[in-house]
Amino acid sequence: MSVLVTNLKAGLSAPEEVLIEKGIRRLGVERATVQEAQLYKKSLDARKRGQVCFVGSVLVKLSIDEETLCRRLADKDVQYRPDTELRFPHGTQRLKTPIYIAGFGPAGIFCAYALAQEGYRPIVLERGYDVERRVEAVERFWKHGKLNTECNVQFGEGGAGTFSDGKLTTRISDERCGYVLKRFVEFGAPPQIVAKAKPHIGTDKLRGVIKRMRQAIIKMGGEVRFGQRLDSVRIENGKLKSITVNGEEVETGVLVAALGHSARDTFQMLLEQGVAMEAKSFSIGMRIEHLQSEIDKSLYGELAGHPALPVGEYQLSYRENGRGVYTFCMCPGGLVVPSSSSEGTVVTNGMSEYRRDRKNANAAVAVSVTPQDFGTHPMDGVRFQSSLETSAFRLGGGDYRAVGTTVGEFLKGGAGLSLGRVEPSYALGVTACSPDKVFPPFVTEMLRKGLLKFDRKLHGFAAPDSVLTGVETRTSSPLRILRDGESMESISASGIYPCGEGAGYAGGIMSAAVDGLRVAQKIISVYAPKD
């Protein structure tokens, strides 16, 4: 047990110990009763330029009755925190066949790790390669335009998040988040991520963390098989009986479908086998690039460049008549990267290293779309995405060049790419093309409104020489594989556990990892290990 003290403030140059000391003083206890005190969370409050400061919370462990102390203080910023260690009580049904996990992104990794830790020896099937070979395949595409459709930014060890900023922020409130952060640190992530309000690992450090987690899973008795694509499933009387992998049928009664949001062929196969799913909303748009130094100035004013300040980042949104436009996956000091997973398509994404020290900042500016826009068949969203990506490939010149323009040209209705201070970072080049030629009018209308609205909140966001590069279509899964809320199994096929972002139950590294843990806990609560 412990006490959480929140809403503590300190100046930019103050060491973290100042926040810890303020937290202890807030409790008004004898120093001898303090057994342990540590920083719990720390964030930057830059809402008022002249009063930029750090705001933190401190976790204090006392030798006295902490719950009684919190009741006596009656302070909203002082909360009693009982222990919330994640537990995995085992079920009683004896497994007769191995547990298979299709996909080794965050959901699959944490599901496999928890299962292996509890003695279940899961077998992971990943259609892409291990992270070392995957980096080679991705860099070959970025340098020479030679796409490997089975191993790319979307497919391979670590999932799409491996080539991203490695953000670990989430809007969900779940005790499993702490478990995920601790495991990341255990396997090599910077310890600071546990206390940061906006933690990130960066693509460079995340790759090593993922590799070490894979090695730990194998050491605990699990298997991770690369180059293994789920070809089909056999369902009899509403129950999973077997799966076929690379042409070989294997018997199993438990399959975790942690497929990722781009496994379109697997979605189609599951649908044809009778697995229930539905179309869902997602978002589409363009990547916008600014000079990182200009973002810092807009956020921090004269304090920009202060050594205690983090690289500036933003999150902006606007809604009108039920439709939203917002910034997504903001990558400070990063790159816009080619992210196609099928031939003849162009897809963009953003990526940053841990230091976030590149010249440009980038983010998706995305407009929400719903089944009412593209169709209600489960695969209609996939087809809509694909049509935009194919169009961008054609308009870009047919060699994986992105389409793009400057914000100034776009707002005027033009299509030029007369560059100023901002040079596009997309590795395969950008062809001048207006988003109006790619997207439906309701999308480009909202993009223009969003740029102008965001400029009022963050001066310079709609600067004329800012660059728009596209298309951004993989913001989240375009469908949901329906599962029962209690059993977490497919509503049409017991034994299949839809999981993570691709199944429609997460949106980012942290929430996908949490969903993987949630599914693992459910499986563990039902079954006992095979032997």
Side-chain angles (χ1 to χ4, degrees), residues 93 95 99 235 237-241 252-257 274-277 480-499 503 505 515 518-527:
Q93 294 185 40
L95 282 165
I99 296 172
I235 302 167
N237 300 319
K239 293 183 178 181
L240 176 68
K241 293 298 181 182
T252 184
V254 178
L255 169 69
V256 179
V275 176
M277 54 186 75
R480 179 174 290 109
I481 304 175
L482 301 177
R483 72 185 184 194
D484 178 79
E486 176 60 30
S487 71
M488 302 194 75
E489 295 172 291
S490 162
I491 64 170
S492 53
S494 66
I496 296 179
Y497 291 82
C499 181
Y505 296 97
D515 200 56
R518 191 181 292 119
V519 167
Q521 284 180 294
K522 178 57 65 174
I523 293 171
I524 291 168
S525 73
V526 174
Y527 296 101

Side-chain angles (χ1 to χ4, degrees), residues 378-394:
M379 296 298 290
D380 278 347
V382 169
R383 287 189 275 266
F384 182 51
Q385 286 177 325
S386 183
S387 68
L388 297 172
E389 295 162 10
T390 302
S391 179
F393 180 82
R394 176 179 54 82

Side-chain angles (χ1 to χ4, degrees), residues 11 145 302 385 397 469 475 477 479 498:
E302 293 180 358
Q385 286 177 325
T469 310
T475 54
S477 181
L479 55 80

Side-chain angles (χ1 to χ4, degrees), residues 65-92:
D65 187 332
E66 296 160 329
E67 190 171 10
T68 299
L69 172 68
C70 291
R71 282 201 302 267
R72 179 172 58 80
L73 290 175
D75 184 338
K76 63 180 178 60
D77 293 327
V78 177
Q79 307 163 23
Y80 174 65
R81 299 273 295 194
D83 288 337
T84 56
E85 191 67 31
L86 205 58
R87 306 190 191 283
F88 298 90
H90 289 208
T92 57

Side-chain angles (χ1 to χ4, degrees), residues 51-71:
Q51 302 175 34
V52 177
C53 65
F54 286 111
V55 179
S57 54
V58 172
L59 207 58
V60 185
K61 189 172 182 62
L62 302 169
S63 60
I64 60 177
D65 187 332
E66 296 160 329
E67 190 171 10
T68 299
L69 172 68
C70 291
R71 282 201 302 267

